[in-house]
Amino acid sequence: MKYENIIIGGGLSGTILAWQFYLNNKSFLLIDDKPKSSSSKVAAGLYNPVVFKRLTPTWEADKIIPYLDEFYSKIENILNTKFHHKRNIIRIIPSEEDKALWEFKSQNNELNKYLNPRIIDNYLHQFIKAPYGLGIVNNAGNIDTNLFIETSHKFFIENNQFINTRINSNKASIKELKNKYSADRILFAEGWINSENEYFKWLPYKLVKGELLKLHIPNFDIHDVPNKRVFLLNVGNNNYLAGSTYRWSYDNELPTEAEKNYLIEHLDKFLIAKYNIIDHKAGIRPAVLDRRPLLGNHPDYKDILLFNGMGSKSVMLSPYLSQMLYYNIYNESEIHKEVNLNRYIKYLI
């Protein structure tokens, strides 16, 4: 059977890219071997239009947020499955200075659609400490990543658009794969594994390990997401994900006691409610030196493309960027210079 596009890697980014082709009636085959260390399998799936460190909009927020809403809604309708949950993020204001900065920044035209200008009193005082009040971030939410990936893969299997196997990325194997399916192109979306890919290992990946705790908090049931260095995301039945950590240097892919203690330390700074830890997970994120994704074709192989480097923001960035890559392939439109992998062509030896 012939496929125009073969996507290698069925985590968040690869699955989203597959949906982009599906929604545009382009043939594709998604190939994945479900690696255990994929960050997609342990991701909270939270998206936030605001960078808290500087109180600025996230990159291209005004385009990304409306598009992801439209994109995920179409897929939910096709799958008859609810995996996209719109939520406010409740920023626990850490000081009077931060309170004043929030009130000032929320008047900015770039931020006023995301930041509620009024700092509200702590209506969650039975559960959290917030002496300086709470700031509300609108237009945020999360994707249930496991449900999204599992139901998508099941759908693609039923439509002969998915196979579960391991593909070697050496050039001989990729040439054989391309010929087998008479494919027009191969697209790699393997997350951190692409840092070892024969075609793309020259790119300056800067992999980062992230860890999450799963908590049970009796009698605490809130739809929105408290955040103060650590977020609390309700996943049902009084269970919450707490995270996340960012470790640039690590020995292995396993959860660590040190990162667990880090999360507990910061949780205990604002969480009054008693909780039990019921799970602890870790994953490797495919980050890049300048913290921007990597899109486009290999400089020497026009039929070999990359869709990677989303870091911890795949649920937010991948829908919009998959459309950008789609338009590049089929309409020959330009890929934004900040995410075009050719910005690193000097690293290709």
Side-chain angles (χ1 to χ4, degrees):
M1 185 172 180
K2 174 180 169 56
Y3 297 95
E4 291 178 47
N5 305 283
I6 294 179
I7 304 165
I8 300 176
L12 271 170
S13 294
T15 302
I16 288 169
L17 182 59
W19 275 112
Q20 189 65 246
F21 290 131
Y22 180 89
L23 294 171
N24 285 282
N25 298 310
K26 301 299 182 183
S27 67
F28 68 90
L29 179 65
L30 178 61
I31 301 176
D32 185 60
D33 69 339
K34 302 184 185 299
K36 292 180 180 179
S37 60
S38 167
S39 61
S40 297
K41 309 301 189 297
V42 299
L46 190 64
Y47 63 87
N48 180 358
V50 176
V51 179
F52 281 143
K53 187 174 182 180
R54 300 181 297 275
L55 271 189
T56 56
T58 195
W59 181 77
E60 296 282 79
D62 289 351
K63 298 177 182 177
I64 286 170
I65 299 300
Y67 185 74
L68 74 80
D69 187 25
E70 174 190 344
F71 181 83
Y72 289 127
S73 293
K74 288 179 181 177
I75 299 169
E76 285 182 323
N77 289 334
I78 293 168
L79 297 177
N80 193 27
T81 303
K82 180 68 176 176
F83 53 78
H84 179 200
H85 305 282
K86 297 178 183 181
R87 308 174 190 263
N88 293 329
I89 294 177
I90 304 172
R91 177 65 165 169
I92 300 170
I93 303 298
S95 68
E96 285 291 351
E97 290 79 7
D98 287 284
K99 181 178 179 179
L101 179 63
W102 182 287
E103 291 173 338
F104 172 74
K105 287 270 194 165
S106 64
Q107 306 303 318
N108 186 303
N109 288 336
E110 291 185 332
L111 282 165
N112 57 19
K113 69 182 72 172
Y114 304 121
L115 299 184
N116 189 318
R118 187 172 68 90
I119 300 296
I120 63 174
D121 293 335
N122 181 14
Y123 67 96
L124 300 170
H125 58 85
Q126 290 179 299
F127 301 99
I128 65 175
K129 294 177 280 190
Y132 302 103
L134 305 172
I136 305 300
V137 180
N138 306 309
N139 295 300
N142 80 289
I143 300 299
D144 184 332
T145 56
N146 286 325
L147 181 61
F148 169 68
I149 290 171
E150 288 169 9
T151 54
S152 295
H153 288 187
K154 182 181 178 182
F155 178 81
F156 293 147
I157 288 169
E158 291 170 353
N159 286 277
N160 296 314
Q161 296 166 317
F162 179 96
I163 56 174
N164 183 1
T165 190
R166 175 67 183 152
I167 298 296
N168 192 314
S169 66
N170 67 62
K171 293 177 181 178
S173 297
I174 296 303
K175 183 178 180 180
E176 181 182 347
L177 178 70
K178 188 170 181 288
N179 291 337
K180 178 179 180 180
Y181 293 106
S182 302
D184 294 333
R185 63 193 63 83
I186 305 288
L187 303 103
F188 287 100
E190 295 181 287
W192 72 270
I193 296 172
N194 280 146
S195 64
E196 303 168 355
N197 185 295
E198 186 171 332
Y199 288 98
F200 295 109
K201 61 186 178 182
W202 52 275
L203 289 164
Y205 288 95
K206 193 175 182 183
L207 307 183
V208 57
K209 182 178 179 181
E211 301 192 30
L212 283 172
L213 299 178
K214 188 175 184 180
L215 313 176
H216 182 72
I217 310 178
N219 304 315
F220 185 48
D221 186 15
I222 178 172
H223 180 74
D224 294 331
V225 184
N227 181 301
K228 186 182 180 184
R229 187 71 68 92
V230 173
F231 63 76
L232 275 178
L233 175 64
N234 190 337
V235 292
N237 300 315
N238 296 115
N239 295 328
Y240 290 79
L241 296 180
S244 176
T245 64
Y246 294 82
R247 182 65 59 187
W248 303 99
S249 177
Y250 49 88
D251 296 324
N252 55 52
E253 302 159 16
L254 301 175
T256 63
E257 199 68 19
E259 298 300 87
K260 176 182 176 180
N261 291 336
Y262 171 90
L263 292 170
I264 291 171
E265 175 189 348
H266 288 285
L267 272 172
D268 290 347
K269 288 180 179 179
F270 72 86
L271 186 60
I272 299 170
K274 301 297 182 183
Y275 60 88
N276 299 312
I277 298 172
I278 57 177
D279 202 1
H280 179 197
K281 295 183 178 181
I284 309 300
R285 303 183 185 104
V288 183
L289 185 64
D290 63 0
R291 302 191 181 187
R292 288 280 187 263
L294 297 165
L295 277 68
N297 60 269
H298 189 286
D300 298 330
Y301 303 93
K302 303 305 180 184
D303 55 352
I304 304 293
L305 294 88
L306 186 65
F307 187 68
N308 207 343
M310 309 298 168
S312 62
K313 296 183 177 182
S314 185
V315 297
M316 181 166 66
L317 295 177
S318 290
Y320 176 72
L321 294 181
S322 68
Q323 182 190 55
M324 185 181 293
L325 185 59
Y326 173 85
Y327 285 152
N328 174 256
I329 293 169
Y330 287 100
N331 298 345
E332 298 185 355
S333 60
E334 292 293 323
I335 294 174
H336 194 296
K337 64 180 181 180
E338 290 189 42
V339 297
N340 193 321
L341 66 81
N342 284 331
R343 70 188 186 275
Y344 286 121
I345 198 166
K346 65 182 180 181
Y347 287 78
L348 182 60
I349 298 173

